[in-house]
Amino acid sequence: MSLPEEAGTRAPSAPAGTARSVARELLGRTLDGLPGGAADQPSWTVGGAGPVGVDAGDERAAQAACGVMHVHGRAGGGPAPLTADYVSTVTGVLAAQGVTAALFARAQGRPPVRTGTSLAQGALLTVTQYLAAATAPDDDPAPPAAAGLATLVTADGARVEIETLDPTAWAGFWSRLAVPPRTAGRGWLPFQSRFGTAVCLLPPELHAAVLDHPLEAVRAAGAAHGVSVVAVGEATTAPPGLAPWTVAPAPLAPPARVTGTAPAGDASRPLAGVRVVESARRVQGPMAGHVLRMLGAEVVRVEPPGGDPQRAQPPVAGGCSVRFSALNHGKSVVEADLTTRRGRAAVVELAVGADVFLHNWAPGKDRALGLDADALHALHPRLVYASASGFGTALGPVPPIGTDYLAQVHGGLAAALRPADEPPAPSLMTVTDVLGGLVLAQAVLAGLLARERVNRGCRASSSLLSAAALVPRARRRTVLAPLDRPLSTADGLLCLGAEARSRPGEVARTVGAPGADAVGERLRSRTTDTWLAELRAAGLPSVAVRTDLAALAADPAFARAVLPPDAHVPYARPAAPWTFTEETPA
């Protein structure tokens, strides 16, 4: 399908091309087969990384300036780049969301708009929860300062990731490997906390215990207690041809077309008037609802009696976990016990009055509860029914536990996100949870747009694995030269921009080093700001590496991109990552 070119952008470097190619791929999938196709598609842009002197397509600079290197590098002891185009992929999904939401609004009878996003906004969205935690009130605990990965090594040299959400299974697994219960217990909290801290400080006795056993013995211990054990390999990739999402029309069409009317709510946001019911936990599902809310939808969360247990996860401010609130602020809440007939009936009533029903329940739970797509479509044929999982059906009928780090392993990101001189290991930054939530939100938007054009609801589904497959990766792991990494200065770190990295001789001359190999030592002699001014003056754009997320909210370069804490929300958070500007007639 031929899609109109986006307006107002310069010739892309490779990462900028990644964002645009991802956007085009997702828009093609969204519009394929719909009446009208790409007709009236708004113009759209993918802009730069925000700070002065950064090229619009500089993945590495966006990671450095917005805190992604800082969060990813925590487990290794210092800021480090993700070597695949992760931020560019996220930004491409955001661009597709902006266009699809604008098309939906147009189908509702609203004026056409231009839409845009940027690598900076994509990068900031990926650190939403970490930014919230960093700007929580001072009496909340800070993340661990020491480095720590969760990857374990067996006696025969296999690198493995383990996963369980059950403390009883955790205890049984380690008992089978001859670890005393008290020692195993000391590892449980840092293991579960790694999702929020991006660090995993396991007791050394646990690493030693795995090192005493071959891979098959560790796998047997996992199988005996319901703990997933997955070997991390460089050659692991997602199944070929895996679609980011699938959409199937509802089996029953509505008896009559519902004509779009002027929406209620803030008409400047494209999903104004859309109602979403969300029954989801952790990150993937709530991130999807968070995105839809920022686009203007009313989102109603279904939580168990007493509220979601993650509300108590530290750090806490105003009586609620800031990490939880970062993805769920602004949503209304209805408590329902899904184990009871009354609770399930309450959810049915909510779904029948909504445009979208969204969940990330375990596979098969929807049918067991009588809340599957067929059951709800029988009552509401125009419903967009969206479900998310870890692996879908790609890994067979009994997949591993569907969490971020195992999805990174099976999707090939455990190797692709790290340079060639590091062994493969998942990033402890929740990369597939965030990307998976964004892909799920795009699937919902595709379903809403299809409903407006063909007057029928649908079932949309996506997974962490299908999201991971969107991230492009080279056939061989990336080799980083010294100038590709964060460089120490007298008072911090800087990251050379893409243009500067491609001209190492000019960098050396500008900083007064005898050659490229001596640049790093020379940079330590002066401050970051001094070197940035000289490099930029020489046409070598570079940025400071962000090592303090709390400072983002006070940085004038991010005044429009980061909302500071206020009386209602006691932590900083990224602003909505799109612009929507009404088109003016030619």
Side-chain angles (χ1 to χ4, degrees):
M1 173 180 295
S2 176
L3 298 176
E5 288 294 318
E6 66 274 27
T9 54
R10 56 186 292 187
S13 64
T18 294
R20 295 179 182 117
S21 65
V22 167
R24 291 191 186 101
E25 176 187 345
L26 298 188
L27 288 171
R29 174 170 291 276
T30 297
L31 298 171
D32 188 35
L34 293 183
D40 299 323
Q41 181 187 339
S43 60
W44 54 278
T45 61
V46 175
V52 175
V54 175
D55 181 76
D58 199 334
E59 164 89 23
R60 200 75 50 83
Q63 290 185 26
C66 300
V68 174
M69 284 189 185
H70 167 60
V71 176
H72 167 63
R74 280 180 186 172
L82 295 163
T83 51
D85 290 342
Y86 174 66
V87 168
S88 298
T89 302
V90 165
T91 305
V93 181
L94 291 175
Q97 289 172 349
V99 173
T100 309
L103 287 171
F104 172 79
R106 183 75 177 118
Q108 293 273 298
R110 280 176 279 173
V113 298
R114 292 180 298 170
T115 180
T117 189
S118 71
L119 264 67
Q121 289 164 307
L124 290 169
L125 191 66
T126 70
V127 297
T128 295
Q129 290 185 293
Y130 307 102
L131 176 61
T135 54
D138 293 339
D139 56 353
D140 288 302
L149 283 168
T151 306
L152 304 165
V153 182
T154 66
D156 42 0
R159 298 175 58 80
V160 298
E161 291 292 317
I162 66 173
E163 186 64 279
T164 179
L165 305 177
D166 180 357
T168 302
W170 171 268
F173 171 81
W174 289 110
S175 176
R176 191 175 177 97
L177 297 181
V179 174
R182 186 180 297 273
T183 303
R186 285 194 289 114
W188 175 247
L189 183 58
F191 183 74
Q192 286 301 298
S193 297
R194 74 199 195 283
F195 289 96
T197 63
V199 174
C200 187
L201 295 175
L202 292 178
E205 294 92 336
L206 303 190
H207 286 274
V210 172
L211 195 57
D212 282 342
H213 294 81
L215 175 59
E216 288 310 310
V218 177
R219 280 178 167 158
H225 296 280
V227 173
S228 291
V229 177
V230 179
V232 183
E234 295 189 18
T236 307
T237 58
L242 186 62
W245 69 82
T246 59
V247 174
L252 299 174
R257 174 173 291 278
V258 178
T259 303
T261 57
D266 182 0
S268 67
R269 297 195 292 170
L271 294 194
V274 171
R275 195 164 198 247
V276 177
V277 175
E278 169 198 305
S279 180
R281 292 188 59 187
R282 304 185 76 87
V283 176
Q284 180 189 22
M287 173 59 83
H290 177 58
V291 166
L292 297 171
R293 186 193 66 79
M294 286 194 291
L295 284 167
E298 174 197 0
V299 181
V300 181
R301 272 186 61 78
V302 177
E303 297 187 11
D308 191 314
Q310 289 198 307
R311 289 179 175 274
Q313 180 189 42
V316 173
C320 184
S321 165
V322 297
R323 292 192 182 101
F324 176 90
S325 185
L327 298 184
N328 294 293
H329 174 73
K331 302 174 183 177
S332 58
V333 177
V334 173
E335 294 186 4
D337 184 352
L338 298 185
T339 67
T340 68
R341 182 177 300 176
R342 181 177 180 182
R344 294 191 293 273
V347 173
V348 169
E349 184 177 358
L350 286 170
V352 168
D355 299 282
V356 178
F357 181 69
L358 180 159
H359 71 78
N360 64 345
W361 298 332
K365 182 177 178 180
D366 56 351
R367 192 165 297 277
L369 293 173
L371 296 171
D372 55 286
D374 289 344
L376 293 182
H377 277 145
L379 301 171
H380 184 6
R382 279 175 54 85
L383 181 69
V384 175
Y385 184 103
S387 61
S389 65
F391 299 101
T393 59
L395 300 185
V398 187
I401 297 171
T403 59
D404 188 294
Y405 309 124
L406 298 193
Q408 288 189 50
V409 174
H410 283 284
L413 292 184
L417 293 175
R418 295 189 182 275
D421 61 348
E422 293 181 20
S427 172
L428 291 188
M429 180 177 166
T430 50
V431 296
T432 66
D433 264 336
V434 170
L435 183 56
L438 296 175
V439 170
L440 177 60
Q442 177 60 21
V444 169
L445 290 168
L448 286 170
L449 180 60
R451 189 184 71 173
E452 291 305 306
R453 292 192 176 181
V454 302
N455 192 37
R456 179 176 285 194
C458 66
R459 174 170 186 166
S461 60
S462 68
S463 70
L464 298 178
L465 186 66
S466 68
L470 270 181
V471 181
R473 68 287 312 266
R475 295 182 64 182
R476 296 183 179 179
R477 296 177 66 199
T478 303
V479 176
L480 293 183
L483 298 187
D484 293 332
R485 301 176 186 270
L487 299 166
S488 295
T489 65
D491 63 348
L493 296 165
L494 66 78
C495 173
L496 296 175
E499 179 70 13
R501 295 194 303 274
S502 70
R503 295 152 59 191
E506 291 188 39
V507 172
R509 287 191 291 274
T510 299
V511 304
D517 292 341
V519 167
E521 184 167 345
R522 173 64 177 151
L523 288 175
R524 293 187 183 94
S525 67
R526 301 169 72 182
T527 66
T528 302
D529 285 345
T530 300
W531 285 126
L532 290 178
E534 294 198 14
L535 288 164
R536 290 170 180 170
L540 300 167
S542 303
V543 297
V545 178
R546 178 73 58 182
T547 57
D548 179 8
L549 289 179
L552 271 171
D555 189 334
F558 294 92
R560 295 184 179 180
V562 177
L563 304 176
D566 57 41
H568 304 289
V569 183
Y571 53 84
R573 65 275 188 205
W578 316 270
T579 58
F580 295 99
T581 308
E582 189 168 332
E583 293 272 21
T584 54

